[in-house]
Amino acid sequence: MIDTKESLSQLVSEALPGEKYPIAKIISKIETENNLEFRESLFQELILQNPDTKEGLTIGITGTPGAGKSSLLGEVCKLFLDLAPDKKMAIVAIDPSSNVSGGSILGDRTRVTLPRRDNRIYFRSQPSQLELGGLNPYTYHVIRFLRKVFDYVFIETVGIGQNEISVSLISDLSFLVMQPLGGDQVQFMKSGIMEVPEAFIINKCDEESLANSSYYMLESTLEFIKDILPDQSLPPIFKTSVTKRKGIEELLLYILKYQNRKDKNLETLTQLTQWIRNEYGRWGISIWEKLESSQWNQAVKRNPLGGIHKLKYEEEERKFVSLIQTKIK
Amino acid sequence: MSAEKKEYLLVDENGQGKPDKPWIFRTYAGHTNAKASNELYRKNLSKGQTGLSIAFDLPTQCGYSSDHEVSRPEIGKVGVPINSLEDFRILFDQIPIEEMNTSMTINGTSMWLLSLYVALAEERGVPLEKLNGTTQNDLIKEYLARGTYIYPPKESMKIIVDMYEYCLHNIPKWNPSNICSYHLQEAGATPVQELSFALATAIAVLDAIKERNCFTADEFEQCVGRISFFVNAGIRFVEEMCKMRAFTEMWEEITKERYGVKTAKYRVFRYGVQVNSLGLTEEQPENNAWRILIESLGVTLSRNARCRALQLPAWNEALSLPRPWDQQWSLRLQQVLAYETDLLEYPDIFEGSKVIESKVKALKEEAKLEIQKIIDMGGALVAIENGYMKSQLVKSQTERLSKINSNELVIVGKNKWTDGIKSPLMTDSDGGIFKVDPKSAEQTLNVLAEAKSRRNADLAKKSIEDLKKAAKEGKNLMPFSIACAKALVTTGEWADALREVYGEYNPPTGVDGQKLFLSDDKVSTVRSKVEAFTKANGHRPKIVVGKPGLDGHSNGAEMIAVSAKHSGFDVIYSGIRLSPEEIVQSAVEENANVIGLSILSGSHKEIVKQLFDELAHYKAKIPVVIGGIIPESDFDELKKMGIREIFTPKDYDLMSIMEKIIDIVSVEPAFA
């Protein structure tokens, strides 16, 4: 399964310092069906070659189509090169376009002008393959890999209503991007997901008064939610404009200074549950709940927020597969 | 003599037969450098051409001087390179500009080129009120079809309004812009789309002028009278003629009802035409001569909507730039039509025709609905920024191509009666095509270097700073641009100054969500090959469709992007004006299985070399295919450089192209 001419260890050793082509090849491999074995070897190899492997911050950027997410990310990239000279970032842009043929047009690169031949920024597109939640089934593993190589990993998804919850599950910090007075506010309030993102961006704030009125509208909406969740502090709101080049520096500095990490054990647990549900439906979930979940839940409990990542995804996946096989027999 | 009025005759006030004056005969021309183009113009004028239509090369159109790195492969290829006033002095040498009607096909840098023209006139002592002509300056269609925009829509519109304000007060006979639907048809527009998009653009311009409120009511009327149009005439000539009549009637209505123009002459729909090149074929190119004739009839037969100026492509335009002989042949066609036939002796011969009238009515009704849609959206600028117009055009184009592929649309020599004897027109020693001498660029670069070394550097610098300051303050930029022209500022310096203030624009590609209407056996063959690839490799094949260089004719690239998606590929298409470095970087980061390049400007050899150098940098072995106007004589060299497959306009069958591509991709090693 791994090309003998180009061994995995060589690919990993080239990928770790940020070489684009080896990184690209590894991602393609992760994006391949039946990739469990490959993932096992890949993550073993990554730890082997770099025991103090880094764990990049994952930033989710989501919002309705047309909110200007890609253009905003393009500006973030430009500033990143100046403001974080010793850091590296990757972007995974998930594009919802797809049709009957299964083919897709991935247009997000269009909005992002990237510096040439600079290994500090890497951009990768992914078709969503019509998965709910705006994420591709392989996205999670691609992100896990990129976190080992890059200091910051951005995931850009299109989300409408409930769907953008998914991206926040695999992000340490997720943003909801809106347009001024786009009418989104009411929509999001209704769908009850305003509590999900850690921060908000009102993009396209090209005009001061419109930007301010949107800002106050959003603020009051969030205060309303805060009443429901009294222990939560009010999330920050950024006003940005790509055309006027405003607010982007503040946004990036906030990201660069952001320290909190979400519990990776919980993340693993959530993703695994989701995988089981997709793969084996309610039957699979019931087996998993009966036999395994209490043990896992305890493992998660032992690790408070920001704890060390104890659960190894592939190991757990394999455990579950063998468990389910005994059930089938 | 009987005084009885003959309905069929055109007469003067004394009742004497008096045929109409013919339209202005132009040939769209310019190549190599200012000196060679000057010689060409003087020859054409001596052959009976009555106006100049200047073609500029892509760097000039996109606001780069010839010594910029992106210019190198393009200097003098599709038009004349203009770097500074010095080039204009050479270009118009011994040509009396006060007697000329000069049309400049220039958009993003139109203010700059007009400034050069003004500076030249002032230098020669020609009063500005004698200058007569047009700068195309329709940025809306550039965002949609031709791709030589520089700045964002709002700033572009501001520049256009600046020119209207300046011209009306200083060069009253100049048409500051020319609403241009020509390229819309080239990009696939239906007659209704051509009508509605062009008129919506004119409305956007006039609304912006109204908003600035820089004219008195009388001046505003004159200003409306300066708006001219540049349209396309296709092969369905009855429908095209009805389109022209619809244009005339609708413009009359819009100017009267929306803008309250009282003076009848300012409501006249004044238009020039270049007939359609999209329908010209590389196969049996001699047939194009008849197509061009028929297309000309659509815009000349109808007296009530006859064009004021006409330029015809050459029979071999699908192959390369026309040679002087080819242009002469095109000019002769116009002369035969105007002087040998009786066309100009009659009043409108279609007045009262039920067929024509009801067709015109139908076109008008549909176009009105579409215009209303655009206005409701917030006008043409909004419909550009949200991608609406672009996606409509890509849709029409895919439908048209689907019809050619399924033989529903007959194209003689292409999908029907394809066997023929090879044309003797192609057997000349030059192979029937024109190639720019690659050494000629040196002359342009020398003129540029010399102009730069000779100019007063402080003055040049100051005029650029003044221009920037004026742009920041929102002042009318015309006087500052003219000052730059006189200070021998270069095209690139002028454009960069405004880039700094306005930024550069990157519009929607319009390919999202597009579908092809193809479902025959070929499609299923290609799809099954794609599925086989997906099964063998665990993921879909990925193609990067790249449009490198300054050539903005993106129709081909868009069609390939849509076809690849239709076949089941994952497609990365990021629009026009990318460097080979950017295309390779995309392909590498995305781990693409193949790169498809589209190049129509003739600079394929230079660009392909740059691209392979860049692939070598990443040690990436990604197969590359190329499509565009590529002469057969270059095939060997391109293949030797590493190009795997070459597609030309002959390869109109999209699924055959896709099949060749999936075959190439399928034999590549799985993990590479």
Side-chain angles (χ1 to χ4, degrees), chain B residues 409-653:
Chain B
L409 194 67
V410 171
I411 298 186
V412 175
K414 194 183 195 88
N415 62 6
K416 215 159 184 195
W417 303 292
T418 50
D419 286 343
I421 301 161
K422 206 166 162 29
S423 162
L425 288 170
M426 307 276 290
T427 54
D428 213 353
S429 61
D430 57 9
I433 58 172
F434 180 82
K435 276 191 187 173
V436 174
D437 176 6
K439 286 184 202 128
S440 64
E442 300 312 320
Q443 218 168 340
T444 302
L445 289 166
N446 289 342
V447 173
L448 172 60
E450 208 195 305
K452 268 194 193 167
S453 72
R454 233 185 22 210
R455 70 185 180 183
N456 177 334
D458 292 338
L459 183 63
K461 203 172 156 211
K462 187 183 174 293
S463 359
I464 294 169
E465 288 309 318
D466 289 350
L467 177 72
K468 273 191 226 166
K469 190 160 170 280
K472 279 184 197 141
E473 290 168 359
K475 286 188 184 152
N476 190 320
L477 300 180
M478 267 310 286
F480 300 94
S481 295
I482 295 168
C484 285
K486 288 178 178 166
L488 282 177
V489 164
T490 69
T491 300
E493 290 166 340
W494 179 88
D496 279 345
L498 296 186
R499 275 190 192 99
E500 203 184 302
V501 183
Y502 294 153
E504 272 188 285
Y505 189 61
N506 193 4
T509 59
V511 294
D512 294 354
Q514 296 290 352
K515 284 193 193 90
L516 274 183
F517 298 88
L518 286 179
S519 56
D520 57 7
D521 293 349
K522 254 186 202 152
V523 178
S524 31
T525 309
V526 175
R527 281 193 185 162
S528 62
K529 286 185 177 183
V530 169
E531 285 315 312
F533 176 96
T534 308
K535 219 168 161 201
N537 295 279
H539 56 83
R540 302 199 155 274
K542 241 184 207 182
I543 182 171
V544 165
V545 178
K547 187 85 192 100
L550 299 175
D551 147 37
H553 290 91
S554 55
N555 304 334
E558 283 149 12
M559 288 311 109
I560 292 300
V562 174
S563 308
K565 177 184 148 187
H566 190 72
S567 319
F569 280 71
D570 283 335
V571 183
I572 315 281
Y573 173 58
S574 307
I576 62 166
R577 226 181 284 169
L578 298 174
S579 66
E581 289 91 342
E582 285 167 319
I583 292 167
V584 170
Q585 178 157 303
S586 292
V588 163
E589 292 189 346
E590 303 287 356
N591 195 21
N593 301 96
V594 58
I595 297 174
L597 293 178
S598 165
I599 305 173
L600 285 89
S601 67
S603 26
H604 39 270
K605 281 196 256 178
E606 293 90 335
I607 286 171
V608 164
K609 184 177 179 315
Q610 290 173 348
L611 189 105
F612 279 111
D613 287 350
E614 199 59 21
L615 279 171
H617 164 78
Y618 288 103
K619 299 192 199 83
K621 287 200 180 69
I622 303 171
V624 183
V625 300
I626 182 172
I629 298 187
I630 296 161
E632 256 180 73
S633 50
D634 290 347
F635 281 20
D636 276 351
E637 202 179 330
L638 288 171
K639 292 237 164 125
K640 257 182 219 146
M641 291 164 89
I643 291 288
R644 300 287 290 273
E645 193 69 60
I646 299 162
F647 305 101
T648 71
K650 266 184 199 155
D651 302 285
Y652 66 92
D653 185 333

Side-chain angles (χ1 to χ4, degrees), chain B residues 648-666:
Chain B
T648 71
K650 266 184 199 155
D651 302 285
Y652 66 92
D653 185 333
L654 296 168
M655 284 304 126
S656 302
I657 296 175
M658 291 323 302
E659 189 169 2
K660 280 187 183 157
I661 294 177
I662 186 66
D663 285 346
I664 289 172
V665 166
S666 298

Side-chain angles (χ1 to χ4, degrees), chain A residues 3 20-21 24 28-29 32 99 101-106 109-111 115-117 121-125 127, chain B residues 506-508 537-538 540 565-566 569-571 573-574 579 581 585-586 588-591 614 617-618 620 671:
Chain A
D3 197 295
K20 286 175 193 282
Y21 204 33
S28 293
K29 215 58 196 157
T32 301
N99 74 347
S101 71
S104 63
I105 290 184
L106 308 170
R109 293 193 84 98
T110 313
R111 304 263 139 217
R116 297 168 206 172
R117 284 189 175 191
I121 298 189
Y122 179 88
F123 189 106
R124 179 79 171 207
S125 313
Chain B
N506 193 4
N537 295 279
R540 302 199 155 274
K565 177 184 148 187
H566 190 72
F569 280 71
D570 283 335
V571 183
Y573 173 58
S574 307
S579 66
E581 289 91 342
Q585 178 157 303
S586 292
V588 163
E589 292 189 346
E590 303 287 356
N591 195 21
E614 199 59 21
H617 164 78
Y618 288 103
F671 197 28

Side-chain angles (χ1 to χ4, degrees), chain B residues 102-138:
Chain B
T102 305
S103 162
M104 300 195 221
T105 305
I106 193 83
N107 296 281
T109 51
S110 58
M111 174 185 272
W112 175 238
L113 273 295
L114 179 61
S115 302
L116 291 174
Y117 203 66
V118 168
L120 180 75
E122 289 187 345
E123 189 173 272
R124 287 190 183 179
V126 173
L128 295 188
E129 53 270 25
K130 283 202 169 167
L131 296 184
N132 204 329
T134 305
T135 29
Q136 188 170 78
N137 205 12
D138 172 359

Side-chain angles (χ1 to χ4, degrees), chain B residues 35-83:
Chain B
K35 192 162 183 295
S37 300
N38 170 265
E39 282 160 18
L40 175 71
Y41 296 163
R42 283 192 286 129
K43 262 184 212 145
N44 287 347
L45 291 168
S46 71
K47 285 177 187 164
Q49 183 178 302
T50 53
L52 283 181
S53 173
I54 302 176
F56 297 95
D57 75 351
L58 286 169
T60 308
Q61 294 187 43
C62 297
Y64 297 102
S65 296
S66 300
D67 55 3
H68 191 287
E69 58 169 327
V70 307
S71 306
R72 190 66 244 209
E74 306 281 359
I75 301 172
K77 285 260 170 70
V78 300
V80 57
I82 299 297
N83 286 303

Side-chain angles (χ1 to χ4, degrees), chain A residues 17 74 103 168 240:
Chain A
S168 75
T240 54

